[in-house]
Amino acid sequence: MGQNGPNGTRNQGPRCVALVGPFQSGKTTLLEAILARTGAIQRQGTVDAGTTVGDASKEARSHKMSVEASFATTTFMGDSYTFIDCPGSIEFIQDMRSVLPAVDAAVVVCEADEKKVPQLQLILRELEDQNIPRFVFLNKIDKADRRVRETIKLLQPASRVPLLLRQIPIWNGDIISGFVDLALERAYVYREYAPSEIIELNGENLDRKKEARFTMLETLADHDDQLMEQLLEDIEPPRDKVFDDLAKELRDRIVCPVLLGAATRSNGVLRLLKALRHESPGVSETAQRLGVKSGNEAVALVLKTFHTTHGGKMSIARLLAGLVGDGTTLTTSAGDAGRVAGVFKLMGQHFEKRGQATVGETVALGKLDSAKTGDTLSSGKQPAAAIAHAKPYPPVLAIAVQAKERKDDVKLGPAFTKLTEEDPSLTVVHNAESHEVVIWGQGEMHLRVAAERLADRFMVPVTTRPPSVGYRETIRKPVTQRGRHKKQSGGHGQFGDVVLEIRPLPRGSGFKFDDRITGGVVPRNYIPAVEEGVVDALKHGPLGFPVVDMSVALIDGSYHTVDSSDQAFRTAGRIGIVEGLPQCQPVLLEPIYEVEIVCPNEATAKMNAILSGRRGQIMGFDTREGWSGWDTVRAQMPEAEIGDLIIEVRSATAGVGSFVFKFDHMAELTGRTADQIIAARRAAE
Ligand SMILES: Nc1nc2c(ncn2[C@@H]2O[C@H](COP(=O)(O)OP(=O)(O)OP(=O)(O)O)[C@@H](O)[C@H]2O)c(=O)[nH]1
Ligand SMILES: [Mg+2]
């Protein structure tokens, strides 16, 4: 037993705690309150004024929302704590997923808002899957207009384990003026920007406390027979025993304790910090959870790669074993080694050089070129096995980007590398056919911020537009066409002459070339050139798109002993196609994808409407496996309609719906839509 707290919870080393939760629930404000309360900052800033540590980046300030994880280290009662303020928007959820493996606990910042329950469920699911002990901090209690117990009932379906109310509010008319801590059995009144004041509990509040405390103990007793017996026999369990149970059941992730507060007024913050101090596990338990052995060899997980404008690349990492100092050589699991150039303390965007870091600390490590978000680093001779395995969610939206100024073209490649190192849920694809560089990401804001970051952080201003769709064209009718190229220019002339039989092929066949020349009317050695000319002409059909699903047979032709050449036959082949295809009833082909949407089931009907509005064909519904209250909708729909589908899906699902898609087949497209696509293509050329 530790002397300063139950369950030996003192001296557990530096902690690392993630602040997570639905969009705009108050995480950044809570971090601000924690930093102010622990003296790391002089004054509590606000998100609205753009003065917080968590949202200090230019992008976060301009959108008034968190768009990446930010880190701040502070000291509370002699212990070091690093808090990670995670963005709430599902579009930026990868930043949360990347840091979770290495944290000791998460504080899930919530509010009493029905609409945010699906988001809460999504976040809790990540914590549950990664086995992270978690508290709920029920924030914005200053705005509460319903009983806290009702709020818990509302939120409970989002959690697989019981939400354990361990504080109840004290109402003063319509507002909450304080709270009772059910474990401590003490009552407090809130004071603005100051620790709450202890008050005497009496009358009705005393009765409510007894009842609520009993409910809390009953839940704890579900996993503690001795406590159950005490409750049945009406024996008051000792306070230390209750704290031990709270800590144990939190660490075993079988309950999720709920604390109350208001981050803007710094209410409930001190109790939250004390709960973290006494009840959350420390680094040794976290290392054990991850299978990291303690010892002299350093093992660290990179929570985020960050490219500072002046200080170069930083790897923000939590040290799970050993020590790291200036000059320590660290190796990634893939075996790439690098030397640490500087260890830095974190305070949002601010990095401060410091001495070596010890186990449990979360610091920035300078200049590890080959390390990136999610990597496991070690100082041992053998690379350590990778700890984190969370693969990013598949992307759902794309934009094509171009450097605003040509001179910046060369800077784009390195900027993309940095961008995707920092955020693995972004991918960059070069489309050779359309000559476009396409960034794929998790939503509109995610991509907008990526483009802003290219400009602000990596100094390459870009223009963006929707990426082009992979249209093709094909033919419906066969034709036999001569292609003749004859040119007399001074001395040496050019002569090539071919007859091509052009035929449609079934969907998905691609292109076939046949040589059916007899009697050497076109000499062998020119035939590959004919094929080249044909293939070249097929890149751009009469409608403006690559031509597929057809065959060309070379059936006849003639040559000239002096004037014929590869070049001349190439041209003849091309002419045959250019003149032949328009007579073959060309038709547009559009890519059709199979799309699988997941959404809370109250939105399923809306998904139907969205899909039919986008030329989708619904293939089936199902309940989503392992997700109570969610559905899966399968459909086939044109690529062009998937383009911005996510925007509609998100707005119909309070931000939580998503989908995956894969190419299925090409389908003929005629009529007005086809005419518009062809006209747009012509206009663009
Ligand atoms: N009334 C009230 N408002 C709060 C409280 N905490 C935060 N807010 C407000 O809620 C809004 C969102 O706060 P943030 O701290 O940015 O929330 P967040 O969870 O960090 O948001 P994202 O990171 O974008 O998901 C701001 O306008 C805050 O002022 C609170 O305790 N009471
Ligand atoms: Mg925030």
Side-chain angles (χ1 to χ4, degrees):
M1 283 287 265
Q3 50 184 0
N4 291 318
N7 211 14
T9 49
R10 277 292 280 126
N11 301 326
Q12 293 212 56
R15 312 288 184 95
C16 182
V17 176
L19 305 178
V20 303
F23 188 49
Q24 298 280 294
S25 60
K27 301 169 287 294
T28 302
T29 308
L30 179 61
L31 173 64
E32 203 65 16
I34 289 171
L35 295 177
R37 174 53 47 84
T38 54
I41 54 175
Q42 295 284 321
R43 260 187 85 227
Q44 182 169 341
T46 69
V47 172
D48 297 319
T51 50
T52 62
V53 170
D55 286 352
S57 79
K58 187 170 169 198
E59 298 83 32
R61 259 184 306 151
S62 77
H63 298 297
K64 288 203 182 357
M65 64 183 273
S66 302
V67 297
E68 65 191 312
S70 44
F71 302 71
T73 300
T74 186
T75 305
F76 176 61
M77 298 177 80
D79 289 336
S80 161
Y81 289 77
T82 297
F83 288 94
I84 310 174
D85 172 21
C86 298
S89 158
I90 186 175
E91 297 187 26
F92 300 96
I93 201 168
Q94 183 58 35
D95 261 39
M96 173 192 93
R97 298 173 82 222
S98 300
V99 307
L100 285 186
V103 302
D104 300 321
V107 174
V108 186
V109 183
C110 288
E111 52 189 305
D113 183 348
E114 228 150 338
K115 290 196 288 301
K116 292 187 181 173
V117 174
Q119 275 192 46
L120 176 64
Q121 183 185 18
L122 211 92
I123 287 159
L124 287 175
R125 182 58 63 100
E126 289 290 343
L127 299 172
E128 289 161 2
D129 289 350
Q130 295 203 35
N131 290 323
I132 313 298
R134 65 211 86 106
F135 292 91
V136 160
F137 185 76
L138 185 56
N139 192 30
K140 306 195 184 179
I141 206 75
D142 53 320
K143 291 204 311 191
D145 56 2
R146 64 174 111 195
R147 303 276 309 270
V148 167
R149 221 174 301 174
E150 277 171 42
T151 303
I152 298 293
K153 226 181 254 162
L154 185 80
L155 304 181
Q156 181 62 62
S159 170
R160 282 169 161 170
V161 303
L163 300 179
L164 182 83
L165 190 60
R166 59 167 287 182
Q167 294 176 340
I168 56 167
I170 298 174
W171 290 89
N172 190 350
D174 283 346
I175 60 159
I176 291 177
S177 59
F179 66 99
V180 183
D181 191 288
L182 300 173
L184 266 180
E185 298 183 88
R186 268 195 210 140
Y188 297 85
V189 284
Y190 290 133
R191 293 187 307 163
E192 211 166 340
Y193 305 115
S196 301
E197 199 177 328
I198 299 187
I199 52 162
E200 198 65 44
L201 245 193
N202 46 34
E204 190 206 353
N205 281 332
L206 192 60
D207 296 340
R208 281 180 51 233
K209 181 221 89 176
K210 280 191 179 141
E211 195 192 321
R213 178 171 154 91
F214 191 77
T215 309
M216 177 185 85
L217 294 179
E218 264 184 323
T219 309
L220 287 176
D222 281 342
H223 299 277
D224 180 346
D225 294 341
Q226 196 196 358
L227 180 61
M228 184 61 92
E229 265 169 44
Q230 289 171 337
L231 291 185
L232 289 174
E233 288 167 22
D234 240 356
I235 302 171
E236 185 59 29
R239 186 181 290 173
D240 272 3
K241 158 99 180 136
V242 173
F243 273 112
D244 281 355
D245 264 24
L246 274 170
K248 178 168 186 311
E249 297 193 15
L250 166 86
R251 291 160 186 225
D252 291 346
R253 293 140 348 236
I254 47 185
V255 298
C256 174
V258 180
L259 307 167
L260 314 176
T264 35
R265 306 153 70 96
S266 185
N267 292 155
V269 171
L270 195 58
R271 292 284 3 134
L272 171 67
L273 288 167
K274 290 211 166 155
L276 286 170
R277 175 180 163 86
H278 292 303
E279 292 156 41
S280 100
V283 67
S284 59
E285 256 176 90
T286 302
Q288 214 171 8
R289 184 180 82 220
L290 297 167
V292 172
K293 293 205 182 64
S294 64
N296 293 332
E297 283 180 4
V299 178
L301 183 72
V302 180
L303 309 182
K304 187 173 176 67
T305 301
F306 191 88
H307 293 88
T308 61
T309 340
H310 302 298
K313 178 171 167 177
M314 296 282 183
S315 297
I316 300 172
R318 181 162 202 225
L319 200 53
L320 295 157
L323 299 172
V324 170
D326 210 358
T328 305
T329 297
L330 293 175
T331 313
T332 66
S333 308
D336 298 316
R339 270 162 65 95
V340 172
V343 175
F344 300 84
K345 178 185 164 174
L346 297 153
M347 186 56 66
Q349 300 273 301
H350 191 75
F351 297 77
E352 187 188 318
K353 191 146 187 180
R354 45 156 287 176
Q356 77 175 2
T358 59
V359 60
E361 288 191 288
T362 306
V363 290
L365 305 173
K367 188 107 184 86
L368 291 171
D369 284 335
S370 49
K372 57 183 188 314
T373 306
D375 275 350
T376 304
L377 306 174
S378 75
S379 66
K381 289 214 170 59
Q382 294 298 319
I387 293 169
H389 304 283
K391 272 222 320 254
Y393 288 143
V396 290
L397 188 68
I399 43 167
V401 299
Q402 218 173 2
K404 224 172 222 162
E405 312 216 7
R406 274 216 93 122
K407 67 172 173 48
D408 285 343
D409 277 357
V410 288
K411 290 203 271 175
L412 261 183
F416 287 143
T417 307
K418 290 178 187 167
L419 191 68
T420 48
E421 262 183 4
E422 286 190 359
D423 182 353
S425 66
L426 286 169
T427 42
V428 177
V429 181
H430 294 257
N431 184 337
E433 181 187 302
S434 61
H435 305 291
E436 283 172 341
V437 180
V438 177
I439 306 184
W440 280 93
Q442 308 294 325
E444 216 181 3
M445 185 58 89
H446 190 217
L447 292 176
R448 188 186 309 172
V449 168
E452 290 171 358
R453 221 168 259 166
L454 283 172
D456 301 340
R457 204 175 279 178
F458 308 131
M459 310 301 165
V460 192
V462 292
T463 54
T464 64
R465 63 191 159 87
S468 51
V469 173
Y471 293 113
R472 295 284 182 276
E473 57 184 271
T474 189
I475 53 171
R476 286 167 156 177
K477 220 182 78 178
V479 87
T480 300
Q481 174 69 42
R482 166 153 254 137
R484 200 175 148 84
H485 177 56
K486 188 172 178 205
K487 217 171 181 180
Q488 210 62 53
S489 50
H492 217 325
Q494 289 181 39
F495 184 85
D497 174 36
V498 296
V499 178
L500 305 177
E501 190 182 281
I502 306 171
R503 300 187 148 275
L505 288 180
R507 205 57 61 241
S509 312
F511 168 70
K512 283 198 188 65
F513 183 81
D514 257 335
D515 158 24
R516 297 219 300 265
I517 291 295
T518 49
V521 290
V522 175
R524 282 291 82 168
N525 54 318
Y526 294 138
I527 292 176
V530 176
E531 183 174 354
E532 277 169 33
V534 168
V535 168
D536 193 44
L538 292 181
K539 285 182 189 152
H540 191 271
L543 307 182
F545 300 96
V547 191
V548 295
D549 299 345
M550 54 166 290
S551 67
V552 170
L554 175 61
I555 56 172
D556 201 358
S558 61
Y559 72 104
H560 188 277
T561 39
V562 179
D563 290 348
S564 281
S565 64
D566 278 350
Q567 181 55 44
F569 271 99
R570 211 175 283 133
T571 310
R574 188 160 50 227
I575 290 171
I577 292 297
V578 169
E579 291 180 357
L581 284 184
Q583 310 162 49
C584 298
Q585 281 186 7
V587 61
L588 194 65
L589 289 178
E590 72 168 342
I592 306 294
Y593 278 69
E594 193 167 299
V595 182
E596 202 177 287
I597 303 185
V598 290
C599 63
N601 54 22
E602 63 266 15
T604 308
K606 281 192 226 158
M607 288 307 130
N608 281 348
I610 292 172
L611 290 171
S612 350
R614 291 173 169 264
R615 298 191 285 135
Q617 196 184 349
I618 292 165
M619 311 299 281
F621 303 92
D622 241 320
T623 52
R624 182 179 186 188
E625 217 184 299
W627 287 72
S628 74
W630 285 61
D631 279 343
T632 302
V633 184
R634 278 180 305 109
Q636 288 198 338
M637 88 195 290
E639 181 184 343
E641 299 287 342
I642 298 174
D644 55 358
L645 173 66
I646 191 66
I647 296 164
E648 243 183 305
V649 168
R650 292 265 160 81
S651 74
T653 57
V656 294
S658 194
F659 60 79
V660 290
F661 56 97
K662 63 172 198 284
F663 175 76
D664 196 73
H665 64 278
M666 300 295 288
E668 283 186 13
L669 180 65
T670 54
R672 251 175 67 95
T673 315
D675 295 343
Q676 282 166 357
I677 293 163
I678 294 161
R681 178 70 171 199
R682 291 224 168 100
E685 272 168 8

